Amino acid sequence: MGRIFNASADCHPDLHYMVDLKDRLKKITSMVDAGQYFTINWARQYGKTTTLLALAGHLKKEHTVVSLDFQLFSAGTFRTENTFSLAFAKAFVQSWKENRAPFSDEIC
Protein backbone atom coordinates (compact mmCIF):
# COMPACT_ATOMS: atom_id res chain seq x y z
CA MET A 1 0.00 0.00 0.00
CA GLY A 2 1.23 3.50 -0.80
CA ARG A 3 1.53 6.51 1.44
CA ILE A 4 -1.56 8.19 2.89
CA PHE A 5 -2.49 11.61 4.27
CA ASN A 6 -2.34 11.64 8.07
CA ALA A 7 -3.99 14.26 10.25
CA SER A 8 -4.31 12.36 13.51
CA ALA A 9 -0.77 11.77 14.82
CA ASP A 10 2.90 12.28 14.04
CA CYS A 11 3.87 11.56 10.44
CA HIS A 12 6.45 9.16 9.09
CA PRO A 13 7.88 9.84 5.61
CA ASP A 14 7.66 6.20 4.54
CA LEU A 15 3.95 5.98 5.51
CA HIS A 16 2.56 9.49 5.03
CA TYR A 17 2.65 12.39 2.62
CA MET A 18 4.44 15.25 4.33
CA VAL A 19 6.49 18.38 3.83
CA ASP A 20 10.24 17.89 3.37
CA LEU A 21 11.78 18.84 6.74
CA LYS A 22 15.47 18.85 5.68
CA ASP A 23 15.80 22.66 5.50
CA ARG A 24 14.03 23.16 8.85
CA LEU A 25 16.20 20.53 10.50
CA LYS A 26 19.39 22.14 9.14
CA LYS A 27 18.32 25.56 10.44
CA ILE A 28 17.37 24.27 13.89
CA THR A 29 20.54 22.14 14.10
CA SER A 30 22.69 25.21 13.38
CA MET A 31 20.87 27.02 16.20
CA VAL A 32 21.45 24.10 18.59
CA ASP A 33 25.12 23.95 17.64
CA ALA A 34 25.43 27.72 18.26
CA GLY A 35 23.80 27.35 21.70
CA GLN A 36 20.74 29.36 20.64
CA TYR A 37 17.16 28.89 21.78
CA PHE A 38 14.26 28.21 19.45
CA THR A 39 10.53 27.67 19.71
CA ILE A 40 8.09 25.66 17.64
CA ASN A 41 4.67 27.23 17.96
CA TRP A 42 2.41 26.48 15.05
CA ALA A 43 -1.34 25.88 15.20
CA ARG A 44 -2.97 22.45 15.57
CA GLN A 45 -2.03 19.84 12.98
CA TYR A 46 0.90 21.82 11.54
CA GLY A 47 3.59 19.24 12.33
CA LYS A 48 5.04 20.32 15.68
CA THR A 49 5.36 16.77 17.03
CA THR A 50 6.53 15.44 13.68
CA THR A 51 9.20 18.15 13.50
CA LEU A 52 10.39 17.48 17.06
CA LEU A 53 10.58 13.72 16.49
CA ALA A 54 12.50 14.24 13.23
CA LEU A 55 14.79 16.72 14.99
CA ALA A 56 15.50 14.25 17.80
CA GLY A 57 16.44 11.59 15.26
CA HIS A 58 18.61 14.07 13.37
CA LEU A 59 20.39 15.37 16.50
CA LYS A 60 21.06 11.90 17.97
CA LYS A 61 23.95 11.54 15.53
CA GLU A 62 26.04 14.11 17.44
CA HIS A 63 24.08 15.01 20.57
CA THR A 64 22.36 13.33 23.49
CA VAL A 65 18.63 13.97 23.18
CA VAL A 66 16.51 14.09 26.32
CA SER A 67 12.79 14.13 25.63
CA LEU A 68 10.24 15.04 28.31
CA ASP A 69 6.45 15.15 27.97
CA PHE A 70 5.01 17.50 30.58
CA GLN A 71 1.52 16.21 29.80
CA LEU A 72 2.52 13.03 31.64
CA PHE A 73 3.20 14.95 34.87
CA SER A 74 0.28 14.99 37.32
CA ALA A 75 -1.35 18.25 38.40
CA GLY A 76 0.20 17.74 41.85
CA THR A 77 3.65 17.85 40.27
CA PHE A 78 3.21 21.56 39.58
CA ARG A 79 1.92 22.58 43.05
CA THR A 80 5.25 23.55 44.55
CA GLU A 81 8.75 24.23 43.29
CA ASN A 82 10.06 21.26 45.26
CA THR A 83 7.59 18.69 43.89
CA PHE A 84 8.13 19.95 40.36
CA SER A 85 11.94 19.95 40.70
CA LEU A 86 11.96 16.39 42.03
CA ALA A 87 9.59 15.11 39.33
CA PHE A 88 11.52 16.95 36.60
CA ALA A 89 14.87 15.55 37.80
CA LYS A 90 13.49 12.01 37.96
CA ALA A 91 12.00 12.23 34.45
CA PHE A 92 15.19 13.81 33.09
CA VAL A 93 17.44 11.08 34.51
CA GLN A 94 15.09 8.35 33.24
CA SER A 95 15.09 9.82 29.73
CA TRP A 96 18.87 10.28 29.86
CA LYS A 97 19.32 6.62 30.82
CA GLU A 98 17.09 5.49 27.96
CA ASN A 99 18.87 7.63 25.37
CA ARG A 100 22.53 7.54 26.37
CA ALA A 101 24.82 4.61 26.98
CA PRO A 102 26.85 4.12 29.02
CA PHE A 103 25.37 6.17 31.84
CA SER A 104 27.48 6.82 34.89
CA ASP A 105 25.81 5.98 38.20
CA GLU A 106 27.81 8.82 39.73
CA ILE A 107 25.54 11.36 38.01
CA CYS A 108 22.41 9.80 39.53
Side-chain angles (χ1 to χ4, degrees), residues 10-25:
D10 57 300
C11 294
H12 302 276
D14 53 330
L15 301 175
H16 307 114
Y17 292 107
M18 57 185 284
V19 172
D20 185 356
L21 298 174
K22 289 177 192 158
D23 289 337
R24 285 184 198 166
L25 296 178

Side-chain angles (χ1 to χ4, degrees), residues 21-31 55 58:
L21 298 174
K22 289 177 192 158
D23 289 337
R24 285 184 198 166
L25 296 178
K26 282 182 190 177
K27 184 176 180 178
I28 296 171
T29 299
S30 68
M31 294 175 76
L55 180 62
H58 184 73

Side-chain angles (χ1 to χ4, degrees), residues 13 16-17 21 25 27 30 42 47 50 68 72 82 84 89 93:
H16 307 114
Y17 292 107
L21 298 174
L25 296 178
K27 184 176 180 178
S30 68
W42 298 308
T50 299
L68 300 176
L72 300 177
N82 188 52
F84 175 76
V93 168

Side-chain angles (χ1 to χ4, degrees), residues 1 4 7-9 19-21 29 36-37 39 41 43 55 68-69 74 81 89 91 99:
M1 184 165 83
I4 61 171
S8 63
V19 172
D20 185 356
L21 298 174
T29 299
Q36 297 175 331
Y37 293 97
T39 60
N41 59 347
L55 180 62
L68 300 176
D69 185 349
S74 69
E81 251 179 73
N99 292 293

